[in-house]
Amino acid sequence: MEEEKDKARRILRQLRNGAALYEYFLRCLRISCETGGFTLHDIGTDEEELKAILVNGFKRDAMVFLEALRHGSYLYEKTIVYLRIAMKGGNFTLETLGSSEEELERLRVKGCKTAALLYLGELRSPILSHNRESEAMMREELKKGGLTLEDIGMNEKQVAALLNSSHTRSKREAEKVLRLLRSGTTHADDYVDYLLGELSRGNLMLDDIGTTREEIESFRTPKPKR
């Protein structure tokens, strides 16, 4: 019993010091009490203290999520969900955290702007050329936040220029890979997949680079017959 009590006291110290895994340690503490056949009072605590530890743990978690939102998290939707789960678990409100529903809505919009800027960065990147997908996601985030292109320092003409640039990059890259395939190369299947990916990103067709589905498939390694 004494060994189990010592274990329970160590767990209790961790909880009092603000253990991050407070729910897990609370379960471990109760298991130790049951296993050792002693009560919470025997290790110097009670249900009231454990409840306070649980609530404080949820409050710490909630503050982490709230601060992430205040810094402009592009994962704002999930972060808001986690914040509300913590509030429900600890049975407290936004006011308890020094916030309000009004602030939370402002932070949601801020998150929309952060996400839109992230997708705009993808559009501008010469490497991450997701083109239409990035544009669609950017516009979706602007819509969710009730924002416009002007709110992220852009206009329709600039977006069109970025898309055209991405289109040109994808076409150039696809043509380069096609030349490589025509000259003969190892790992042809991988290059075929890469070429098709570039066509998709650039919203291009096979005839835009002077080839056909039949030619592209001819580059693939034949599958062994059964």
Side-chain angles (χ1 to χ4, degrees):
M1 179 187 289
E2 285 306 315
E3 183 177 344
E4 199 65 41
K5 269 188 182 180
D6 288 339
K7 177 182 175 182
R9 290 189 184 104
R10 288 195 300 271
I11 294 171
L12 182 59
R13 280 197 297 272
Q14 287 180 289
L15 286 165
R16 285 170 171 169
N17 289 332
L21 300 174
Y22 54 91
E23 290 182 286
Y24 168 74
F25 283 119
L26 282 168
R27 287 195 296 271
C28 290
L29 180 63
R30 293 188 185 282
I31 289 171
S32 286
C33 289
E34 291 174 10
T35 302
F38 51 85
T39 67
L40 292 173
H41 291 283
D42 292 329
I43 57 171
T45 188
D46 54 30
E47 288 293 346
E48 187 175 345
E49 182 183 14
L50 296 192
K51 182 180 179 181
I53 287 172
L54 181 64
V55 171
N56 287 333
F58 279 124
K59 282 182 181 177
R60 287 196 304 274
D61 286 351
M63 283 306 303
V64 169
F65 300 135
L66 183 58
E67 287 304 314
L69 290 167
R70 284 171 172 167
H71 281 90
S73 172
Y74 72 96
L75 297 173
Y76 63 92
E77 289 177 311
K78 287 185 177 179
T79 306
I80 289 173
V81 169
Y82 295 148
L83 170 61
R84 293 197 182 280
I85 288 173
M87 288 166 53
K88 184 176 180 180
N91 193 30
F92 52 84
T93 65
L94 286 168
E95 285 69 26
T96 306
L97 304 174
S99 184
S100 63
E101 289 293 342
E102 289 74 22
E103 183 191 16
L104 199 58
E105 174 57 17
R106 289 195 301 272
L107 297 178
R108 187 192 68 80
V109 173
K110 185 175 183 178
C112 292
K113 184 174 181 179
T114 300
L117 287 168
L118 179 69
Y119 293 119
L120 175 59
E122 289 183 358
L123 268 178
R124 285 173 168 161
S125 172
I127 300 172
L128 301 173
S129 53
H130 300 296
N131 305 342
R132 295 294 176 183
E133 295 94 331
S134 296
E135 181 206 11
M137 295 302 291
M138 177 187 73
R139 291 186 185 278
E140 178 64 20
E141 291 298 338
L142 292 176
K143 183 179 178 181
K144 287 179 183 177
L147 302 165
T148 66
L149 285 171
E150 286 71 24
D151 290 316
I152 57 171
M154 294 292 288
N155 57 44
E156 290 294 349
K157 186 176 180 180
Q158 290 170 314
V159 171
L162 285 174
L163 287 170
N164 183 59
S165 175
S166 296
H167 175 92
T168 302
R169 280 199 307 270
S170 291
K171 184 177 181 181
R172 189 184 302 120
E173 187 69 11
E175 289 172 336
K176 182 175 73 174
V177 175
L178 180 59
R179 288 194 296 271
L180 183 64
L181 286 165
R182 284 171 172 170
S183 67
T185 181
T186 57
H187 307 296
D189 287 341
D190 293 335
Y191 281 110
V192 167
D193 291 337
Y194 179 71
L195 181 151
L196 294 175
E198 283 300 326
L199 293 179
S200 176
R201 283 188 283 274
N203 199 30
L204 296 160
M205 305 295 289
L206 287 168
D207 58 8
D208 289 325
I209 59 170
T211 187
T212 62
R213 172 62 64 178
E214 290 74 18
E215 181 183 20
I216 291 300
E217 291 303 320
S218 72
F219 297 128
R220 292 191 182 276
T221 304
K223 293 181 180 180
K225 295 181 179 180
R226 294 183 178 180

